[in-house]
């Protein structure tokens, strides 16, 4: 397939903006195009990091011997290189910088370069067409919904629950959890299906952030972190279902703190809720500074994974998945809250389908076909439709 990715800034605020991304696939043989997925990404504008400049001192007109002058220039060059390096920004080396020193301005006042740094103010978006106006309005609605959800009582309760879950998962050990004796549970009393303990689906992965994983500011690409999270989520889902797995959707992925080159990221995941042919998997990421040893929680998300029949059909399984067994009150609370999260996902999907039918997600360069209009309670993945 050809993957066609289109993006557009829907709205900009003072220092942040929402970018809508739409993905369409095209079959090279039939030329059919199918709507694949859509996402809204929030980007934050950052000030340009200060860069040291090499300048000669006007108070030292005397000439130095050739060897001393060369040593001084080499020392200044090395110092400037260290100040400008990603490592200096990451570990905050205390090195003098021309930008940090005070200088006299033309009017005789002493100003710092930091004070002279312009404040960030993104340009405003001007919607022209009706579709652009609707995107503009919906972007503001989504922003207000995010702010309201962050301060809601339910969100505070869920955050407390997830914080306790993270603390528990940090003490789990993959080798002990996946021992065969820990997975043998009596069949479910409801339908007689096999039971698998939630703890037995635990998965863990550690990744070192290298330069190819980061942008020009040495900050890890969000998509790279998402890829690592999806990999570990697929392992948890596979350990539970023992069949091929694909990703159906990802709940809102919040990056609470940035990670940098040289950090070690540890991804941990566990299956939290099971439906007919899909599973909800919780994944969170901890960052460790390998120099100081400081560990920090950075981000989390819920992944919806679909269980498939073996190839060549690769359609959702027709039999029910095993039963998820929650061994503690904390695990039961996490699993019970999964139903509310599922209803929220279905509501968002219905709204997305409605906008797709109205053409809000449509861009003129991509023609929609009948495959783009899906039922609100279905997920289109590749060549099959999954009903959750």
């Amino acid at each position: 397939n050809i993957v066609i990715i289109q993006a557009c800034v829907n709205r900009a605020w003072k220092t942040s903006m929402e970018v809508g991304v739409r993905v369409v696939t095209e079959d090279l043989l039939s030329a059919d195009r199918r709507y694949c997925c859509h996402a809204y990404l929030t980007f934050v504008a950052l000030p340009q990091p200060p860069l040291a400049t090499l300048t000669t001192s006007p108070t030292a007109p005397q000439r130095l011997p050739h060897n001393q002058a060369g040593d001084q220039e080499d020392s200044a060059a090395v110092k400037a290189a260290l100040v400008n390096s990603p490592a200096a920004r990451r570990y905050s080396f205390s090195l003098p910088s021309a930008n940090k020193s005070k200088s006299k301005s033309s009017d005789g006042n002493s100003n710092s370069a930091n004070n002279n740094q312009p404040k960030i103010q993104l340009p405003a978006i001007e919607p022209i067409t009706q579709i652009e106006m609707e995107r503009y309005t919906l972007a503001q609605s989504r922003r207000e919904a995010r702010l309201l959800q962050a301060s809601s009582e339910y969100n505070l309760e869920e955050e407390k629950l997830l914080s306790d879950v993270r603390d528990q998962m940090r003490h789990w050990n993959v080798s002990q959890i996946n021992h065969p004796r820990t997975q043998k549970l009596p069949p479910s009393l409801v339908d007689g299906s096999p039971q698998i303990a939630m703890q037995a689906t635990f998965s863990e992965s550690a990744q070192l952030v290298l330069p190819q994983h980061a942008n020009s500011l040495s900050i890890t690409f969000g998509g790279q972190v998402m890829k690592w999270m999806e990999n570990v989520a697929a392992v948890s889902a596979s350990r539970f279902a023992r069949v091929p797995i694909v990703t159906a959707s990802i709940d809102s992925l919040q990056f609470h703190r940035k990670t940098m080159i040289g950090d070690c990221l540890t991804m941990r995941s566990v299956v939290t809720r099971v439906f007919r042919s899909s599973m909800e998997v919780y994944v969170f990421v901890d960052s460790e500074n390998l120099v100081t040893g400081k560990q920090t929680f950075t981000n989390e998300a819920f992944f919806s994974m679909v269980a498939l029949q073996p190839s060549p059909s690769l359609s959702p399984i027709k039999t029910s998945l095993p039963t998820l067994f929650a061994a503690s009150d904390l695990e039961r609370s996490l699993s019970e809250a999964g139903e509310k999260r599922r209803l929220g996902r279905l509501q968002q999907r219905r709204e997305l389908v409605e906008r797709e039918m109205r053409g809000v997600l449509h861009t003129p360069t991509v023609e929609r076909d009948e495959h783009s209009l899906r039922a609100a309670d279905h997920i289109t993945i590749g060549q099959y439709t999954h009903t959750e």
Side-chain angles (χ1 to χ4, degrees), residues 221-238:
F221 286 123
Q224 181 63 59
V225 178
M226 186 185 299
K227 175 183 176 181
W228 288 335
M229 295 175 70
E230 183 180 13
N231 287 343
V232 75
V235 172
S236 286
S238 298

Side-chain angles (χ1 to χ4, degrees), residues 56-132:
T56 57
S57 173
T59 60
Q62 70 276 14
R63 296 180 61 85
L64 296 173
H66 178 72
N67 57 345
Q68 294 184 17
D71 293 343
Q72 194 175 62
E73 290 177 1
D74 292 343
S75 176
V78 171
K79 185 178 296 184
L82 285 174
V83 171
N84 297 335
S85 68
R89 297 172 191 156
R90 175 65 185 88
Y91 298 112
S92 302
F93 290 161
S94 298
L95 296 174
S97 169
N99 285 342
K100 293 184 180 179
S101 60
K102 291 185 178 181
S103 59
K104 293 285 184 178
S105 62
S106 58
D107 58 0
N109 296 327
S110 177
N111 295 316
S112 171
N114 292 336
N115 295 333
N116 293 334
Q117 191 172 21
K119 294 183 178 179
I120 295 178
Q121 177 62 62
L122 293 175
I125 292 291
E126 252 187 81
I128 299 177
T129 65
Q130 170 134 22
I131 290 179
E132 290 177 348

